[in-house]
């Protein structure tokens, strides 16, 4: 009877053992099913955030002309600089600018101020002296 021969591996036929690279997740033990659920949940959150953002028309800037001609409201997004409308007119007065408060103490500085929330701006007026 023939005995089975054991093949001896020579250095030419011996293959080096490959090391498996698992990267940052080599210690994480999570099932594929759980990972799928996490990915789906993240996608749902992203879609909800996108839907809310697209639905958001921004902030409303209203202009109180305080006796002057009407100025239409504007919608602006957060962080944008305000596009000032044509100044209103009022008989016997000169328009001095837009202010954050009705007392006209806090001016809206176009070059610096940005839209942070919905706001009402108030027209400032200075009486014209008659000769």
């Amino acid at each position: 009877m023939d005995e089975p021969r054991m093949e001896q591996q020579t250095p030419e036929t011996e293959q080096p053992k490959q090391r498996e690279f698992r990267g940052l997740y080599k210690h994480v033990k999570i099932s594929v099913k759980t990972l799928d659920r996490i990915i789906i949940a993240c996608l749902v959150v992203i879609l909800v955030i996108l839907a809310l953002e697209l639905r958001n028309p921004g902030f409303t800037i209203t202009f109180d002309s305080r006796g002057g001609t009407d100025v239409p409201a504007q919608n602006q997004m957060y962080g944008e600089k305000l596009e000032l409308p044509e100044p209103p007119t009022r008989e016997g007065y000169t328009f001095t600018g837009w202010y954050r408060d009705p007392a006209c103490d806090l001016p809206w500085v176009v070059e610096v101020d940005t839209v942070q929330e919905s706001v009402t701006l108030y027209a400032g007026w200075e009486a014209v002296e008659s000769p």
Side-chain angles (χ1 to χ4, degrees):
M1 280 201 148
D2 287 333
E3 287 185 26
R5 278 203 274 171
M6 303 254 319
E7 286 188 27
Q8 284 186 325
Q9 291 190 351
T10 61
E12 294 96 30
T13 61
E14 190 176 300
Q15 293 185 351
K17 188 174 183 179
Q18 295 282 329
R19 288 181 46 179
E20 184 179 326
F21 177 71
R22 294 192 60 184
L24 298 174
Y25 303 104
K26 64 182 174 184
H27 300 292
V28 176
K29 296 193 182 351
I30 188 167
S31 71
V32 172
K33 188 175 183 179
T34 303
L35 189 57
D36 286 344
R37 287 181 180 168
I38 292 170
I39 291 170
I40 290 170
C42 289
L43 288 174
V44 168
V45 168
I46 289 170
L47 290 175
V48 168
I49 290 170
L50 282 174
L52 290 174
E53 186 64 32
L54 291 175
R55 192 176 62 102
N56 182 8
F59 297 106
T60 303
I61 313 306
T62 55
F63 299 93
D64 183 351
S65 64
R66 300 176 27 165
T69 55
D70 286 335
V71 177
Q74 295 181 7
N75 283 337
Q76 298 282 331
M77 297 306 284
Y78 180 86
E80 291 182 341
K81 290 191 177 184
L82 185 62
E83 298 173 19
L84 287 180
E86 289 292 319
T89 58
R90 182 176 172 190
E91 194 172 321
Y93 291 87
T94 301
F95 178 71
T96 61
W98 293 106
Y99 296 85
R100 296 174 181 263
D101 61 323
C104 297
D105 293 328
L106 303 169
W108 182 273
V109 182
V110 179
E111 297 81 22
V112 177
D113 293 331
T114 59
V115 176
Q116 304 293 316
E117 61 187 350
S118 292
V119 67
T120 299
L121 296 178
Y122 301 90
W125 299 105
E126 187 176 283
V128 175
E129 294 183 21
S130 302

